[in-house]
Amino acid sequence: MHYSAYHSVDVVNGEGTRCTLFVSGCEHACKGCYNQSTWRADAGHLYIQALEDQIIADLNDERIKRRGLTLSGGDPLHPVNIKTILQLVKRVRCECPTKDIWLWSGYQLDELNEQQMQIIKLVDVLIDGKFEQDKVDPTLLWRGSSNQVVHRFKRE
């Protein structure tokens, strides 16, 4: 998997102070996308174990209280990202059990396959749906266009 950016402190992409990973790879090619540089699956940097270790360390760092992890992109649910994202969210659940996980995807919840759903079962918030430029609404919280849906899940 590749990623375009990692922010160890982010207050924009989800509730509270967060760690945010922008992955590479997106097949939606939404007109007006603000992050077109992430569309190619091999764009940016190679995701390595050291980055995953840093994400876990940052989430557990008591000096800067972080509410959780945000996964965006590109698309974290792109087929090329599934294995690595699943590994990461499982690790966050195990090593950072009090942290929440937010995920943005152009795929809609009702069209996800079994592998993608394994990830969704471990996240707290999914913002789904392609960005649609003709439905842009700057007043929406966490969404760029009105067709996108914020799903909040209760984890067991």
Side-chain angles (χ1 to χ4, degrees):
M1 182 178 91
H2 283 73
Y3 70 101
S4 66
Y6 169 64
H7 301 291
S8 62
V9 178
D10 180 7
V11 295
V12 177
N13 293 292
E15 294 169 345
T17 302
R18 317 187 63 72
C19 296
T20 299
L21 179 66
F22 291 93
V23 302
S24 298
C26 185
E27 60 189 5
H28 307 298
C30 301
K31 184 179 179 182
C33 174
Y34 75 93
N35 219 356
Q36 291 182 23
S37 64
T38 66
W39 288 1
R40 281 191 18 244
D42 63 351
H45 317 280
L46 184 63
Y47 182 90
I48 59 174
Q49 188 64 44
L51 175 61
E52 186 172 298
D53 294 343
Q54 186 62 55
I55 292 169
I56 298 299
D58 290 340
L59 286 169
N60 286 321
D61 184 350
E62 291 295 319
R63 295 171 297 167
I64 301 174
K65 303 266 189 210
R66 293 165 179 93
R67 183 164 173 176
L69 174 66
T70 291
L71 300 167
S72 191
D75 196 320
L77 298 181
H78 184 285
V80 74
N81 297 328
I82 296 293
K83 180 180 177 184
T84 305
I85 293 297
L86 181 58
Q87 173 185 304
L88 175 59
V89 296
K90 283 181 175 180
R91 189 166 174 204
V92 170
R93 284 287 159 245
C94 180
E95 297 179 42
C96 314
T98 64
K99 306 300 179 184
D100 65 13
I101 300 173
W102 286 46
L103 188 147
W104 270 257
S105 178
Y107 301 103
Q108 291 181 304
L109 181 60
D110 63 358
E111 65 186 15
L112 298 179
N113 65 37
E114 186 177 323
Q115 289 180 312
Q116 292 166 321
M117 283 304 297
Q118 287 179 3
I119 295 169
I120 297 307
K121 289 176 183 176
L122 297 170
V123 305
D124 299 278
V125 178
L126 167 69
I127 296 87
D128 77 349
K130 297 176 188 175
F131 172 76
E132 294 184 18
Q133 196 166 25
D134 62 334
K135 296 180 180 171
V136 168
D137 183 347
T139 66
L140 295 171
L141 194 55
W142 316 124
R143 304 175 289 155
S145 56
S146 60
N147 62 293
Q148 295 171 310
V149 178
V150 178
H151 302 272
R152 292 183 182 267
F153 306 112
K154 290 188 181 201
R155 287 186 297 113
E156 297 175 8

